[in-house]
């Protein structure tokens, strides 16, 4: 079985998914992104021995070779990141409700339909 290559946005809140993927036989974390540099450094220490690339910039992160993105960032920011990820051909998992406004809901639905 091919492992699903996962990217995680959110070094702190994404820890649960990162740990799951370390133990899973069907998924692996290949990239972690956060603008919080200390969080990235902590993840580097926790994930020694795993082939993970670290990013502090979402635009670079989203171009990484991965199948799906887990959004574990600020809850009020999920929709824009989800839309951007889907437009780059990635599957998206949002750890919370992904929208804060009706406008975001419409934009997210349109992106799902388009991609």
């Amino acid at each position: 079985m091919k492992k699903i290559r996962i990217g995680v946005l959110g070094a702190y809140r994404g820890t649960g998914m990162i740990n799951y993927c370390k133990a899973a036989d069907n998924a692996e974390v290949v990239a972690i992104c956060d603008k919080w540099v200390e969080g990235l450094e902590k993840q580097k220490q926790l994930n020694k021995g795993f082939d993970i690339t670290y990013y502090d910039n979402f635009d670079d992160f989203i171009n990484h070779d991965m199948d799906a993105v887990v959004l574990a960032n600020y809850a009020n920011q999920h929709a824009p990141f989800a839309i951007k990820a889907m437009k780059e051909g990635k599957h998206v998992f949002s750890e919370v409700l992904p929208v804060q406004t009706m406008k975001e809901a419409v934009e997210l639905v349109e992106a799902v339909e388009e991609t």
Side-chain angles (χ1 to χ4, degrees), residues 9-30:
L9 175 62
Y12 177 73
R13 290 178 58 166
T15 300
M17 179 56 75
I18 294 165
N19 290 338
Y20 168 80
C21 288
K22 285 168 38 177
D25 59 356
N26 62 349
E28 64 182 326
V29 172
V30 296

Side-chain angles (χ1 to χ4, degrees), residues 4 6 10-11 21 25 27 30 41-42 44 49 72 82-84 89 101:
I4 298 170
I6 305 283
C21 288
D25 59 356
V30 296
E41 292 302 319
K42 182 167 183 164
K44 286 178 186 178
I83 291 166
K84 205 172 218 183
T101 67

